[in-house]
Structure formats: C-alpha cells, structure tokens
Amino acid sequence: MAEHLSQSELDYPFKLLEYINGFRVSQVIFSACDLGVFDLFLRSPTPLSAEAVARELGASEGGTERLLDVLAGFHILEVEVVEGKALYSGTDVSNLYLSKAGAKSLYDMIVYFSQTIYPLWGSLADAIRERKNEHETNIESEDLFKAAYRSDEEMLKFMGFMNSTWVIDGHDVVTAFDLSPFNTIIILGGCSGALAREVTREYPAATVTVLDSSAVLQAAREHFLQADDTIQFQEGDFCAGEIPPADLYVLPRIIHDWKEDMVVQLLQKIHGSCKPGVYRPTNMYLYGPSSFMSTG
C-alpha cells in the first residue's frame, strides 16, 4: 500500500495520524453532547462567550474554552472575535444533528456510542486475542439484546440509538426498492417504530406492523410514537414464537451479528410464513409475493 502514497505522505503520515487520533474527535463530540453544549447554542438567540457557556453548563471556563475552540476547528461550531473576545454559535450541523431537539438528532446514537460501544472497543485486542465476546466481559452478557435490555434505562438508550439510525437512513432504505406491491408489511424487531414510520410515509396504502416484545412496544408508544403515526404494533417473539402472515418481512439490523444457525432458523421460519407466488425485485431476499429484506 505504501508504494501508492506520495513522497509528502511518506515524509509525514497525515492520514495515519488522523486515524490514530480519531478517538480524540469522538470524545470531543461525546463530551460536548453530554455537557449540553449544542442544546445551549440551539436555544441561544445570540453568540456566547466561553465564560457564558461555562456559567450556563456549570463547567470550568478554561476547559469550556478549549472544548469550544476544538469544536470550532472541526467546523461544528462557529466563532467570531468581537472587540477581542471570542463569541461562539451553533451551525446548521450542530442544530440539526447534535442537539436533542434537532429534526434529525443523533444525540441518542452518540449517547449509546459513548456509554456502551466505546468501552467495548477499548478491549478490541483482548477480543481478537481470546476470540471472546466483549459484551460478556464488559456487560456480563454474551447476548447483545439481553445486555441492551437489562434495565429500562439501558433499553431506552438502545431504542434511542436505533431510532436515530432510521431517522437518517430510513428513507434511503425504504426507497431503495419499490415496495408498493406489498400490502401488508411486518418489521421484525421494529423497536421504536422509526423505520416503520418511514415505510408508512412512502407507502401510505400499506399496513405496516412492528413485531417486538411487550416491553419494547410499551416504550415505543410512550417515548417514540408520533401523533400522525399509522403504525400498528403487535407483541411477539419472532425467534421463539410464530410469525404472522404478511406480504413483506423486514429485518432491520437483526441478523448481521447473529450466529449462522440462528440466522438459518429464522429465515426458514419466515419462508414458512410466506404466501405462495413469486415476486423478485433486484437484490432482495424474496419468497413469493411474501418476501423479506434484511437491512444493516
């Protein structure tokens, strides 16, 4: 690979150093979200000094100023100097994606990455060396979903992460193929209902149902349901229980990290629930007019 690099890149490894320091970038954004920096700027009608931000957040002025300068260096915040004093303000990116109230907020995703995923990656070498599931080591559960749902707080954190994912990716997923021939669509493990919402918006004639556990569905109704939603919720265990009949089954980020025998078992069960017939758009796993698509 090195032979394809320019001499300047070999003399000074800019890209390599960018990779090595990537964790610092993540921690800056994680910390700013945790402190409420972006929410503060979204609420503020005018630019703020580091002193004012520190006072509002209950943080040190020196540490706050350094954090704001780094965020400005990343172009996540804007900074202007007025009469010798630096004044900071939010950007379209911070307001849209990093504040809790942003229309496409990734705040819940960032919280999940910061508090759950980041510590696991800190043990990557051990995981490779021992071929050991780090969920078992760090969260005392080998099963990802048991770990994610081990308490109401952790369940909501995970659901918030999944909700953020589909807020930014959902439309592209549901429009990648023409799903209009499918009248009944079941989203297995549909979690917060965010992907189902994107389906109903794009295909309003379809009946879209989220199949998930009772605890997840209750949390979805209480914390994520929107006033204009037409989503249906059905309690069930698609691993251990029966799968209701439908024209299309969607597996959103479900089987990508499962063991092969579990994947085969689930896909066989879906195949058995499919209605007779053939419908084959490109690059989808389909059986009859009843079909299934796996995302993630």
Side-chain angles (χ1 to χ4, degrees):
M1 180 178 178
E3 62 269 23
H4 301 296
L5 299 177
S6 66
Q7 186 58 48
S8 64
E9 291 171 315
L10 288 175
D11 290 339
Y12 193 89
F14 292 97
K15 184 61 66 175
L16 182 59
L17 289 173
E18 180 181 333
Y19 295 153
I20 292 172
N21 283 284
F23 75 96
R24 299 174 190 246
V25 177
S26 298
Q27 281 292 0
V28 165
I29 297 173
F30 293 166
S31 299
C33 283
D34 183 47
L35 290 166
V37 170
F38 306 116
D39 302 303
L40 175 60
F41 281 116
L42 181 64
R43 296 192 304 266
S44 178
T46 59
L48 298 172
S49 66
E51 180 183 4
V53 173
R55 184 171 57 250
E56 288 292 327
L57 301 181
S60 69
E61 183 178 344
T64 299
E65 183 177 24
R66 286 166 173 77
L67 178 63
L68 297 178
D69 284 341
V70 173
L71 291 168
F74 293 160
H75 304 291
I76 295 175
L77 295 180
E78 291 182 347
V79 61
E80 59 177 334
V81 179
V82 178
E83 296 180 355
K85 176 174 286 191
L87 297 177
Y88 305 85
S89 56
T91 62
D92 290 342
V93 168
S94 67
N95 293 336
L96 184 64
Y97 292 110
L98 298 177
S99 65
K100 293 179 184 178
K104 294 185 177 182
S105 177
L106 301 180
Y107 177 85
D108 289 330
M109 177 188 290
I110 290 167
V111 169
Y112 188 73
F113 281 0
S114 173
Q115 298 180 8
T116 302
I117 300 300
Y118 192 87
L120 295 177
W121 279 79
S123 305
L124 180 60
D126 290 336
I128 295 171
R129 187 180 296 112
E130 301 171 12
R131 198 177 181 181
K132 193 172 184 179
N133 188 323
E134 289 306 302
H135 277 282
E136 184 176 3
T137 302
N138 290 276
I139 310 180
E140 298 181 354
S141 175
E142 186 176 356
D143 187 300
L144 169 62
F145 292 101
K146 285 183 179 178
Y149 297 158
R150 66 189 184 275
S151 69
D152 290 344
E153 180 183 357
E154 291 299 323
M155 181 176 69
L156 281 175
K157 189 192 302 181
F158 179 77
M159 292 179 69
F161 157 57
M162 294 303 298
N163 196 73
S164 294
T165 297
W166 298 123
V167 164
I168 58 172
D169 293 337
H171 181 264
D172 290 340
V173 169
V174 303
T175 57
F177 308 98
D178 179 15
L179 305 183
S180 59
F182 303 109
N183 296 317
T184 57
I185 300 173
I186 292 181
I187 309 208
L188 304 178
C191 201
S192 69
L195 181 61
R197 181 176 302 115
E198 294 297 330
V199 177
T200 60
R201 288 173 177 171
E202 193 66 29
Y203 307 98
T207 299
V208 183
T209 301
V210 170
L211 181 68
D212 217 314
S213 70
S214 59
V216 169
L217 296 187
Q218 180 179 345
R221 293 188 183 99
E222 292 179 1
H223 299 279
F224 299 98
L225 195 64
Q226 298 181 4
D228 60 345
D229 278 339
T230 59
I231 307 164
Q232 297 186 12
F233 294 98
Q234 182 170 343
E235 179 182 341
D237 184 341
F238 54 84
C239 292
E242 296 298 318
I243 296 178
D247 297 324
L248 173 68
Y249 298 95
V250 183
L251 284 66
R253 301 188 68 147
I254 297 296
I255 60 176
H256 62 287
D257 57 357
W258 282 18
K259 294 180 180 178
E260 185 174 352
D261 59 336
M262 294 178 63
V263 173
V264 171
Q265 182 180 1
L266 177 59
L267 297 186
Q268 287 175 337
K269 183 184 291 188
I270 292 173
H271 179 269
S273 298
C274 288
K275 300 174 184 178
V278 176
Y279 180 80
R280 295 185 178 279
T282 305
N283 292 332
M284 290 176 67
Y285 302 99
L286 299 173
Y287 297 90
S290 284
S291 315
F292 70 89
M293 60 183 291
S294 175
T295 65

